[in-house]
Amino acid sequence: MPNILIGATGSIATVKIPLIVNILKQSWEKISDPILHIELRNWADIMVIAPLDANTLGKIANGLCDNLLTCVLRAWNVTKPVVACPAMNTTCGDIGMGAMAEPQFIVDYTLNIINKQSG
């Protein structure tokens, strides 16, 4: 089974992370010890960033790495896929779960990539 690394940023859509993890649970393996960003990069076969907020997207676009998520991505092996799931408010005053894609869509998309790689 491939290792899936889920990165989350400061978006209201982080409330959907448990749904994503629960859907992926059958292939999920826990990491019991703290791991440096290089070890995480080496461990993961694919990375899912859900949700990806505007602040972190800007950091990634400019090569900034001031937290674990951006450090892992900066060191990422470009031959491995990254699934980015933006969740950004487009206008002020919006209320809701965030504009991120639905968890089932994210999981289906991720598993589709994994299946194409393995087969």
Side-chain angles (χ1 to χ4, degrees):
M1 274 298 180
N3 298 312
I4 302 169
L5 178 61
I6 297 179
T9 62
S11 166
I12 187 64
T14 56
V15 298
K16 294 185 180 182
I17 292 171
L19 298 172
I20 294 169
V21 171
N22 284 335
I23 296 169
L24 287 169
K25 200 170 193 172
Q26 60 208 35
S27 63
W28 185 263
E29 295 181 24
K30 290 186 177 181
I31 303 171
S32 58
D33 298 320
I35 298 176
L36 300 171
H37 69 284
I38 297 300
E39 293 177 46
L40 280 171
R41 175 203 66 186
N42 293 338
W43 172 83
D45 299 307
I46 187 170
M47 183 171 186
V48 178
I49 306 172
L52 173 59
D53 64 10
N55 183 55
T56 303
L57 179 59
K59 288 179 181 184
I60 293 167
N62 288 289
L64 302 176
C65 44
D66 63 352
N67 59 47
L68 182 58
L69 179 106
T70 55
C71 286
V72 170
L73 200 54
R74 174 80 176 180
W76 193 253
N77 178 343
V78 297
T79 64
K80 296 179 182 181
V82 174
V83 178
C85 307
M88 297 169 218
N89 199 350
T90 57
T91 59
C92 295
D94 284 351
I95 297 172
M97 295 292 281
M100 188 176 73
E102 290 301 317
Q104 187 65 56
F105 178 84
I106 293 168
V107 169
D108 290 346
Y109 189 83
T110 301
L111 293 177
N112 186 39
I113 292 171
I114 291 168
N115 290 334
K116 284 182 180 179
Q117 287 182 326
S118 63

